[in-house]
Amino acid sequence: MAHNGNQVAMTRGVSPAMARCELTHLGRQTLDVDRAERQHAAYEVCLVSLGCRLERLPADPDLPDCVFIEDTAVVVAEVAVITRPGAPSRQRETDAVADALAQFRTLLRIEAPGTLDGGDVLRVGRVLYVGASGRTNAAGIAQLTGRLQPFGYTVVSVAMSGCLHLKTAVTAVTDGTLLVNRSWVDPAAFAGFQLVDVDPAEPWGANVLRVGDALVYPTAFPRTRARLEALGLDVRLVEVDELAKAEGAVTCCSLVLTA
Ligand code: CIR
């Protein structure tokens, strides 16, 4: 097994109620929970192969979207900010995650009336770009700024539209390079970065999970993958199409942190 410092990947099991997940941009399709579980298990194996120690929280049968653990916290080196997810059905997801994160970080919180989903937070170095999405409101962004500025972080609010979270539209593939779908976010917000566009046939292809120098990436976007590989990037494939029926992708299924 590779070693990646003291990297921990916190994950949470697939809820047996996942078929009742929140949906915003997709119609409800038949969801095979067993297949979603198998895909999630293979995703976890991929993270372990990249040197992460797995910290796996059990699923909650009353929380259909609990597998999408990314939305419940923003973890930086110094602290973890427990979010207040924008979908009311998801707000109780934070309890178990906060309990588990307390062994690694001092906890801070987003409080009402603020809402914030971790999927809207793209951190590159000490800058956090935060999508003003349907889930994350101005109060949530202001609170995140207040919690993290004392540690030297800058929080930048980013306008976006047409997709669920900022990281549906843009993620970092290196510290200087972003993978982006320009129809959902204006890249003017990211001056100074090299930009790689998703292939026009793969609008959902902008969500990449970086673990060390490796990129965990869905099998579903071969054209965009070729663009990443052409840059010499180390792409590790996972099949997540069943999870994608619930509008989830690769970043949303883990919180990767240094212990
Ligand atoms: C939701 O609508 O909240 C879930 N069905 C999907 C959340 C995906 N989260 C993410 O991409 N960070």
Side-chain angles (χ1 to χ4, degrees), residues 32-48:
D32 182 339
V33 173
D34 289 342
R35 185 159 183 269
E37 270 176 1
R38 286 195 298 277
Q39 292 187 344
H40 185 250
Y43 168 90
E44 291 175 326
V45 167
C46 180
L47 294 180
V48 170

Side-chain angles (χ1 to χ4, degrees), residues 21-22 65 68 70-71 90 119 135 164-165 246-248 252:
C21 65
E22 292 286 335
D65 280 306
F68 302 124
E70 166 181 62
D71 293 317
R90 301 199 57 193
R135 296 288 176 84
L164 185 60
H165 288 127
E247 294 188 20
C252 57

Side-chain angles (χ1 to χ4, degrees), residues 7-94:
Q7 294 264 77
V8 170
M10 191 171 286
T11 62
R12 191 163 189 185
V14 174
S15 174
M18 195 189 193
R20 298 200 308 269
C21 65
E22 292 286 335
L23 288 174
T24 309
H25 297 280
L26 291 182
R28 200 164 293 280
Q29 305 171 58
T30 305
L31 205 146
D32 182 339
V33 173
D34 289 342
R35 185 159 183 269
E37 270 176 1
R38 286 195 298 277
Q39 292 187 344
H40 185 250
Y43 168 90
E44 291 175 326
V45 167
C46 180
L47 294 180
V48 170
S49 79
L50 292 172
C52 294
R53 176 164 67 78
L54 209 61
E55 185 84 19
R56 186 178 217 276
L57 312 188
D60 186 322
D62 294 326
L63 296 172
D65 280 306
C66 69
V67 68
F68 302 124
I69 190 170
E70 166 181 62
D71 293 317
T72 62
V74 176
V75 185
V76 296
E78 299 84 355
V79 290
V81 181
I82 304 302
T83 67
R84 183 165 177 270
S89 73
R90 301 199 57 193
Q91 289 178 348
R92 282 198 311 107
E93 289 178 30
T94 56

Side-chain angles (χ1 to χ4, degrees), residues 34 40 45 52 56 59 97 101 118 122 143 187 206 216 229 251 258:
D34 289 342
H40 185 250
V45 167
C52 294
R56 186 178 217 276
V97 181
L101 278 174
L122 169 62
Q143 288 182 31
V216 180
E229 287 172 340
T251 62
T258 303

